[in-house]
Short mmCIF file of all heavy atoms in Angstrom, two decimals:
data_model
loop_
_atom_site.label_atom_id
_atom_site.label_comp_id
_atom_site.label_asym_id
_atom_site.label_seq_id
_atom_site.Cartn_x
_atom_site.Cartn_y
_atom_site.Cartn_z
N LEU A 1 0.82 -1.22 0.00
CA LEU A 1 0.00 0.00 0.00
C LEU A 1 0.85 1.26 0.00
O LEU A 1 0.52 2.25 -0.65
CB LEU A 1 -0.89 0.03 1.24
CG LEU A 1 -2.22 -0.68 1.17
CD1 LEU A 1 -2.89 -0.68 2.54
CD2 LEU A 1 -3.12 -0.02 0.15
N GLN A 2 1.94 1.23 0.74
CA GLN A 2 2.73 2.45 0.91
C GLN A 2 3.77 2.68 -0.18
O GLN A 2 4.12 3.83 -0.46
CB GLN A 2 3.41 2.41 2.28
CG GLN A 2 2.40 2.47 3.43
CD GLN A 2 3.05 2.46 4.78
OE1 GLN A 2 4.10 3.08 4.98
NE2 GLN A 2 2.44 1.77 5.73
N PHE A 3 4.25 1.62 -0.82
CA PHE A 3 5.30 1.76 -1.82
C PHE A 3 4.96 2.77 -2.93
O PHE A 3 5.77 3.65 -3.24
CB PHE A 3 5.67 0.40 -2.42
CG PHE A 3 6.62 0.51 -3.57
CD1 PHE A 3 7.93 0.92 -3.37
CD2 PHE A 3 6.22 0.22 -4.86
CE1 PHE A 3 8.83 1.03 -4.42
CE2 PHE A 3 7.09 0.32 -5.93
CZ PHE A 3 8.40 0.72 -5.71
N PRO A 4 3.78 2.68 -3.56
CA PRO A 4 3.50 3.61 -4.66
C PRO A 4 3.52 5.07 -4.23
O PRO A 4 3.77 5.96 -5.04
CB PRO A 4 2.11 3.23 -5.15
CG PRO A 4 1.78 1.94 -4.52
CD PRO A 4 2.67 1.76 -3.34
N LEU A 5 3.26 5.33 -2.96
CA LEU A 5 3.21 6.71 -2.48
C LEU A 5 4.59 7.36 -2.42
O LEU A 5 4.70 8.57 -2.20
CB LEU A 5 2.52 6.77 -1.11
CG LEU A 5 1.04 6.35 -1.15
CD1 LEU A 5 0.49 6.21 0.26
CD2 LEU A 5 0.22 7.32 -1.98
N GLY A 6 5.64 6.58 -2.65
CA GLY A 6 6.98 7.15 -2.73
C GLY A 6 7.22 7.89 -4.03
O GLY A 6 8.11 8.73 -4.12
N HIS A 7 6.42 7.60 -5.04
CA HIS A 7 6.59 8.27 -6.32
C HIS A 7 5.85 9.61 -6.29
O HIS A 7 4.70 9.68 -5.86
CB HIS A 7 6.03 7.40 -7.46
CG HIS A 7 6.48 7.87 -8.79
ND1 HIS A 7 5.95 8.99 -9.40
CD2 HIS A 7 7.43 7.39 -9.62
CE1 HIS A 7 6.54 9.17 -10.56
NE2 HIS A 7 7.44 8.22 -10.72
N PRO A 8 6.50 10.67 -6.72
CA PRO A 8 5.87 12.00 -6.63
C PRO A 8 4.59 12.14 -7.45
O PRO A 8 3.77 13.02 -7.16
CB PRO A 8 6.96 12.96 -7.13
CG PRO A 8 7.93 12.12 -7.87
CD PRO A 8 7.84 10.73 -7.29
N ALA A 9 4.37 11.30 -8.45
CA ALA A 9 3.16 11.41 -9.27
C ALA A 9 1.96 10.70 -8.63
O ALA A 9 0.84 10.88 -9.07
CB ALA A 9 3.41 10.81 -10.65
N VAL A 10 2.21 9.91 -7.60
CA VAL A 10 1.13 9.14 -6.98
C VAL A 10 0.68 9.83 -5.69
O VAL A 10 1.47 10.03 -4.78
CB VAL A 10 1.59 7.69 -6.67
CG1 VAL A 10 0.49 6.92 -5.95
CG2 VAL A 10 1.99 6.97 -7.94
N VAL A 11 -0.59 10.16 -5.64
CA VAL A 11 -1.14 10.79 -4.45
C VAL A 11 -2.24 9.95 -3.81
O VAL A 11 -2.69 10.24 -2.71
CB VAL A 11 -1.68 12.22 -4.73
CG1 VAL A 11 -0.54 13.14 -5.15
CG2 VAL A 11 -2.76 12.19 -5.78
N THR A 12 -2.66 8.89 -4.52
CA THR A 12 -3.75 8.05 -4.04
C THR A 12 -3.46 6.60 -4.40
O THR A 12 -2.99 6.31 -5.50
CB THR A 12 -5.09 8.46 -4.70
OG1 THR A 12 -5.34 9.82 -4.40
CG2 THR A 12 -6.23 7.60 -4.20
N VAL A 13 -3.77 5.70 -3.47
CA VAL A 13 -3.70 4.27 -3.73
C VAL A 13 -5.11 3.72 -3.60
O VAL A 13 -5.80 4.00 -2.62
CB VAL A 13 -2.74 3.56 -2.74
CG1 VAL A 13 -2.78 2.05 -2.93
CG2 VAL A 13 -1.32 4.08 -2.90
N VAL A 14 -5.54 2.98 -4.61
CA VAL A 14 -6.90 2.46 -4.65
C VAL A 14 -6.87 0.97 -4.31
O VAL A 14 -6.12 0.20 -4.93
CB VAL A 14 -7.52 2.65 -6.05
CG1 VAL A 14 -8.93 2.08 -6.09
CG2 VAL A 14 -7.50 4.11 -6.45
N VAL A 15 -7.66 0.58 -3.31
CA VAL A 15 -7.82 -0.84 -2.99
C VAL A 15 -9.31 -1.14 -2.91
O VAL A 15 -10.12 -0.26 -2.61
CB VAL A 15 -7.14 -1.22 -1.66
CG1 VAL A 15 -5.63 -1.07 -1.75
CG2 VAL A 15 -7.67 -0.41 -0.50
N GLY A 16 -9.66 -2.35 -3.18
CA GLY A 16 -11.05 -2.76 -3.08
C GLY A 16 -11.35 -3.29 -1.69
O GLY A 16 -10.45 -3.62 -0.92
N ALA A 17 -12.62 -3.37 -1.39
CA ALA A 17 -13.06 -3.93 -0.11
C ALA A 17 -14.38 -4.64 -0.32
O ALA A 17 -15.26 -4.13 -1.03
CB ALA A 17 -13.21 -2.83 0.94
N ARG A 18 -14.50 -5.82 0.25
CA ARG A 18 -15.75 -6.57 0.16
C ARG A 18 -16.60 -6.40 1.40
O ARG A 18 -17.77 -6.74 1.40
CB ARG A 18 -15.45 -8.05 -0.05
CG ARG A 18 -14.91 -8.35 -1.44
CD ARG A 18 -14.52 -9.78 -1.53
NE ARG A 18 -13.15 -9.82 -1.03
CZ ARG A 18 -12.30 -10.79 -1.23
NH1 ARG A 18 -12.68 -11.86 -1.85
NH2 ARG A 18 -11.09 -10.73 -0.78
N ALA A 19 -15.98 -5.90 2.46
CA ALA A 19 -16.70 -5.75 3.73
C ALA A 19 -16.13 -4.54 4.46
O ALA A 19 -14.97 -4.17 4.26
CB ALA A 19 -16.53 -7.01 4.59
N PRO A 20 -16.94 -3.91 5.32
CA PRO A 20 -16.48 -2.71 6.04
C PRO A 20 -15.19 -2.92 6.82
O PRO A 20 -14.34 -2.01 6.86
CB PRO A 20 -17.65 -2.39 6.97
CG PRO A 20 -18.85 -2.94 6.27
CD PRO A 20 -18.36 -4.20 5.59
N HIS A 21 -14.99 -4.10 7.41
CA HIS A 21 -13.77 -4.30 8.20
C HIS A 21 -12.51 -4.24 7.33
O HIS A 21 -11.43 -3.89 7.81
CB HIS A 21 -13.83 -5.62 8.98
CG HIS A 21 -13.61 -6.84 8.14
ND1 HIS A 21 -14.62 -7.47 7.46
CD2 HIS A 21 -12.47 -7.53 7.87
CE1 HIS A 21 -14.12 -8.50 6.80
NE2 HIS A 21 -12.83 -8.55 7.03
N GLU A 22 -12.64 -4.53 6.03
CA GLU A 22 -11.48 -4.45 5.16
C GLU A 22 -11.03 -3.01 4.94
O GLU A 22 -9.85 -2.75 4.72
CB GLU A 22 -11.77 -5.14 3.83
CG GLU A 22 -11.90 -6.64 3.97
CD GLU A 22 -12.20 -7.33 2.65
OE1 GLU A 22 -12.56 -6.65 1.67
OE2 GLU A 22 -12.08 -8.57 2.61
N ILE A 23 -11.95 -2.08 5.03
CA ILE A 23 -11.60 -0.66 4.92
C ILE A 23 -10.75 -0.25 6.13
O ILE A 23 -9.73 0.41 6.00
CB ILE A 23 -12.86 0.21 4.81
CG1 ILE A 23 -13.59 -0.12 3.51
CG2 ILE A 23 -12.52 1.70 4.88
CD1 ILE A 23 -14.97 0.45 3.39
N ALA A 24 -11.18 -0.69 7.31
CA ALA A 24 -10.42 -0.40 8.54
C ALA A 24 -9.05 -1.07 8.49
O ALA A 24 -8.04 -0.48 8.91
CB ALA A 24 -11.21 -0.85 9.76
#
């Protein structure tokens, strides 16, 4: 999750979630 945020062009990482606990 954190690796792409090292690149200056990346400001958001998108992940999916099937249930609310996955967001947490």
Side-chain angles (χ1 to χ4, degrees):
L1 274 174
Q2 294 181 39
F3 173 68
L5 296 171
H7 195 284
V10 176
V11 296
T12 301
V13 175
V14 179
V15 295
R18 288 175 274 198
H21 76 274
E22 291 180 347
I23 296 168

